[in-house]
Amino acid sequence: MNKVIKTANRVLIGTMLLSCPFLASSEQSKEKLFNGTFSGSLEMATDYVFRGESEVADGDIPAIKGSFTWTHESGVYAGVFGATNKFESTPDIRAVLAPYIGKFGTFGDSDISYNFFVFHYTYPGVEDMDYTELWMKVAKDFGPVKIELEVTPTLNDWFGVDGWSGINYAVHPSKTFDNGIKLSGSVGYQELSGEGAEGWAHWNLGLSKNVYGLNIDVRYHDSDVDSSHKVYGSEQGQKIFDERFVFSVSKSF
């Protein structure tokens, strides 16, 4: 337990300076470097759920994540993401670090926005599990509701498994009410191909609100993974894909 706490503390200290456009906020430093500004955010939560899967072994270790980004005035940005991470099948993993580079903007004079970026997952202390994804997002406001579409393919072997590749398809609707409460969710399918591979559907729904400079979020997560799933059908696999409520607090700067 002490080892886990010490590891979490080290990650916490390292991620207190972290943030990125798709996690963070509009708050940016006034200081500029090469016509770009820096932003940051830190999040602490009861769990870290990614596409329906608990990334901290069903809350076995503290869920802490954040990132640090430099954003050019043209919309080009680059940074690094960090989070606590634990997989029962790979006990040496305690964190994930991911450098990224991308660009956001709008298509011409339209009100359709885009955010495209390359995201490279690395797992310190473990070899041959790193992989890269190309995130492609477009969004549009339809009256009071914003709809964001996502297509995210892997660019190499998924988690380093020879011949495995994936594409995540998702839609992310959201609505912000006059009182500042935001209702948002996601419905997606993580396609996974290769010998012995199988994809899964995942979804979430939650409420968030900014309170005294902190973003408070309560969210429900679930998936369709069951005992028949080729990859996660074991008892431990089903456990990390169980339905769950996650409470998080984040700060952007």
Side-chain angles (χ1 to χ4, degrees):
M1 177 61 73
N2 289 337
K3 182 178 180 180
V4 171
I5 293 174
K6 289 178 181 178
T7 302
N9 286 340
R10 286 196 293 269
V11 175
L12 172 60
I13 293 171
T15 59
M16 284 183 70
L17 300 176
L18 303 178
S19 178
C20 66
F22 46 94
L23 289 174
S25 76
S26 59
E27 295 182 23
Q28 292 186 335
S29 168
K30 293 182 180 180
E31 298 297 326
K32 287 192 173 184
L33 178 64
F34 303 120
N35 292 321
T37 55
F38 294 93
S39 60
S41 122
L42 173 69
E43 178 183 291
M44 302 185 70
T46 55
D47 206 325
Y48 169 20
V49 181
F50 182 65
R51 297 174 188 165
E53 176 187 359
S54 171
E55 298 290 292
V56 289
D58 198 33
D60 195 40
I61 64 173
I64 303 168
K65 61 182 177 180
S67 58
F68 176 76
T69 300
W70 170 83
T71 304
H72 189 265
E73 57 188 19
S74 66
V76 173
Y77 61 89
V80 62
F81 168 84
T84 51
N85 210 176
K86 181 180 179 181
F87 301 125
E88 295 291 352
S89 59
T90 314
D92 291 337
I93 290 181
R94 281 293 183 269
V96 57
L97 293 175
Y100 52 83
I101 184 169
K103 187 180 188 309
F104 66 89
T106 58
F107 292 107
D109 296 328
S110 74
D111 57 354
I112 301 175
S113 63
Y114 65 85
N115 187 8
F116 300 158
F117 55 96
V118 176
F119 197 83
H120 182 62
Y121 302 84
T122 68
Y123 299 91
V126 178
E127 296 182 359
D128 302 325
M129 288 189 67
D130 300 353
Y131 70 104
T132 307
E133 288 186 325
L134 171 62
W135 289 63
M136 297 179 287
K137 293 184 175 185
V138 294
K140 177 178 171 58
D141 289 327
F142 294 90
V145 178
K146 179 178 181 179
I147 302 293
E148 182 178 69
L149 302 178
E150 173 199 335
V151 178
T152 304
T154 55
L155 299 182
N156 51 4
D157 290 339
W158 185 80
F159 271 104
V161 180
D162 188 29
W164 280 26
S165 62
I167 304 178
N168 186 60
Y169 303 95
V171 56
H172 311 280
S174 63
K175 172 180 173 57
T176 302
F177 297 92
D178 293 340
N179 59 7
I181 293 178
K182 182 178 181 180
L183 174 65
S184 62
S186 176
V187 178
Y189 183 77
Q190 174 64 64
E191 181 180 290
L192 197 59
S193 60
E195 185 177 354
E198 182 179 2
W200 66 92
H202 52 88
W203 53 91
N204 69 74
L205 181 66
L207 294 170
S208 60
K209 181 177 174 59
N210 190 280
V211 180
Y212 299 111
L214 299 175
N215 187 64
I216 311 299
D217 188 284
V218 180
R219 191 162 301 274
Y220 172 79
H221 296 265
D222 201 2
S223 76
D224 68 346
V225 172
D226 58 22
S227 60
S228 66
H229 198 272
K230 294 179 182 179
V231 182
Y232 296 106
S234 66
E235 181 179 350
Q236 182 58 43
Q238 293 179 71
K239 183 179 179 181
I240 63 175
F241 277 93
D242 274 348
E243 60 180 1
R244 70 195 69 221
F245 282 92
V246 175
F247 173 78
S248 66
V249 178
S250 61
K251 172 66 177 177
S252 300
F253 52 92

